[in-house]
Amino acid sequence: MPTDEIRISVRDLVKKFGSQTVLTGVTLDIKAGETIVIMGGSGCGKTTLLRLLIGSHQPTSGTISLLGQDIASLDGDGFDALKKQFGILFQSGALFQSMSVGDNVALPLQENTDLAPETIEMIVKMKLELVGLRQHANKLPSQISGGMMKRAGLARAMAMDPKILFYDEPSAGLDPVTSAEIDQLILELTRNFGVTSVVVTHEMDSAFTIADRMVMLDGGRVLMVDKREEFDRIRKLPESEAKNLSEDQQIVYQFLRGAADGPITRRRSADDYREDLLGIDAQGNDIVSGTHSARR
């Protein structure tokens, strides 16, 4: 169960790429032993937030603390030491294709510890057993399915017994049964090992299965943070009651239900027309217009 220990703390986080602001003032605390799902429409900033959390991007302003350490204040050696305490499951699994499944899992242990080869081999078998792949240790990634590659990537992410696991679209591209298996693995790892899990996804079935809390991003800002049960309450409201929701909650409502009509689609249509007609975006910034030639 989640505890009061804060393992990830984000304060007033802003990220800009040139003149484009991708994240605006994100503030968030994530506790030990909880699974938190970050979701939102395409371009909302969820992938950028994940990359900031794992140190792949640097914030424009604001702070990120992992396990009590401000990552911006760490030098290379300090951040390398911190990285040993978190694991990452990338969307594709990101296995090295020339290495066996077992060798992929062994790699973090070989690079970051002084353990004897026999000990590493035992740990690899244990991690692969956790994800149901021990008998496939000698296979190459090209010889296993997409779902198995995801599980192998998860075993590698778990190799160093991390306190935090980051997941980038863990169910993307998987059939419903395999997706459900990945969800169960996330739940078991969180419950059995007290791991803090941060999951970026747009798969609603998966999100409502694994989340303790959920974060909805929209336009680079945090629209709503709450327990799964509150998001589920909003999702199940009849349309007649949803009309009484606040503007932000109506955005959440449309996203959770996957509805074609609502504030997200109406805004998107209005913004696209504004950009095309006036050459400025919704924030009033000039944009580069394409040239159009007459067609016959």
Side-chain angles (χ1 to χ4, degrees):
M1 295 295 292
T3 71
D4 290 333
E5 176 194 348
I6 303 298
R7 287 192 173 168
I8 302 173
S9 182
V10 178
R11 289 289 177 274
D12 300 320
L13 188 65
V14 175
K15 180 61 180 176
K16 296 182 179 181
F17 294 98
S19 62
Q20 182 183 14
T21 301
V22 180
L23 292 174
T24 306
V26 172
T27 293
L28 181 66
D29 285 329
I30 303 174
K31 298 179 179 180
E34 79 168 329
T35 297
I36 193 162
V37 168
I38 301 173
M39 58 190 180
S42 298
C44 71
K46 58 184 184 294
T47 299
T48 298
L49 177 56
L50 178 66
R51 290 174 178 169
L52 286 161
L53 291 175
I54 65 176
S56 294
H57 290 332
Q58 297 300 314
T60 303
S61 62
T63 61
I64 301 171
S65 294
L66 300 184
L67 302 172
Q69 300 184 71
D70 183 348
I71 62 175
S73 67
L74 297 174
D75 58 16
D77 291 340
F79 190 69
D80 285 343
L82 180 63
K83 283 197 296 185
K84 296 176 184 179
Q85 299 186 72
F86 66 81
I88 308 166
L89 176 60
F90 296 99
Q91 184 171 339
S92 63
L95 300 178
F96 292 101
Q97 297 298 309
S98 61
M99 300 170 62
S100 70
V101 169
D103 287 342
N104 267 279
V105 178
L107 187 61
L109 296 164
Q110 293 167 344
E111 291 190 339
N112 297 295
T113 75
D114 296 322
L115 294 172
E118 297 81 7
T119 304
I120 291 177
E121 182 179 0
M122 183 180 297
I123 294 172
V124 168
K125 289 179 180 179
M126 291 169 62
K127 301 305 179 185
L128 288 175
E129 180 68 19
L130 283 173
V131 299
L133 290 179
R134 182 173 51 82
Q135 295 178 332
H136 301 276
N138 294 322
K139 292 183 178 179
L140 293 172
S142 60
Q143 297 174 311
I144 60 177
S145 68
M148 292 168 75
M149 282 194 282
K150 286 282 183 76
R151 285 188 277 153
L154 182 53
R156 186 178 62 185
M158 284 290 296
M160 297 285 292
D161 292 328
K163 294 182 178 180
I164 303 171
L165 277 172
F166 296 101
Y167 300 81
D168 183 15
E169 299 285 3
S171 302
L174 301 179
D175 64 80
V177 173
T178 305
S179 177
E181 289 179 335
I182 296 293
D183 290 343
Q184 288 304 308
L185 278 173
I186 294 173
L187 287 171
E188 289 171 9
L189 291 173
T190 303
R191 291 169 180 169
N192 295 339
F193 298 96
V195 176
T196 296
S197 296
V198 180
V199 183
V200 169
T201 187
H202 63 272
E203 301 284 349
M204 289 298 97
D205 287 343
S206 176
F208 279 97
T209 298
I210 63 177
D212 293 307
R213 287 191 301 144
M214 306 172 103
V215 180
M216 174 81 181
L217 295 180
D218 180 69
R221 66 189 179 99
V222 174
L223 206 63
M224 179 176 172
V225 182
D226 215 318
K227 293 181 179 179
R228 177 189 62 219
E229 291 81 5
E230 179 60 16
F231 277 86
D232 198 33
R233 183 191 70 80
I234 291 176
R235 177 176 63 157
K236 292 177 178 177
L237 285 174
E239 292 186 15
S240 58
E241 294 183 28
K243 295 177 181 179
N244 298 321
L245 295 172
S246 68
E247 182 177 349
D248 284 352
Q249 288 176 327
Q250 287 189 29
I251 293 173
V252 174
Y253 179 76
Q254 181 186 0
F255 181 82
L256 295 179
R257 293 170 67 93
D261 183 50
I264 298 173
T265 43
R266 290 194 294 269
R267 178 186 60 198
R268 186 179 299 157
S269 177
D271 287 349
D272 288 346
Y273 180 63
R274 174 189 175 91
E275 291 180 9
D276 189 39
L277 184 66
L278 302 178
I280 57 175
D281 64 19
Q283 286 74 44
N285 301 314
D286 291 332
I287 61 173
V288 178
S289 299
T291 58
H292 300 272
S293 57
R295 296 183 180 180
R296 296 185 182 182

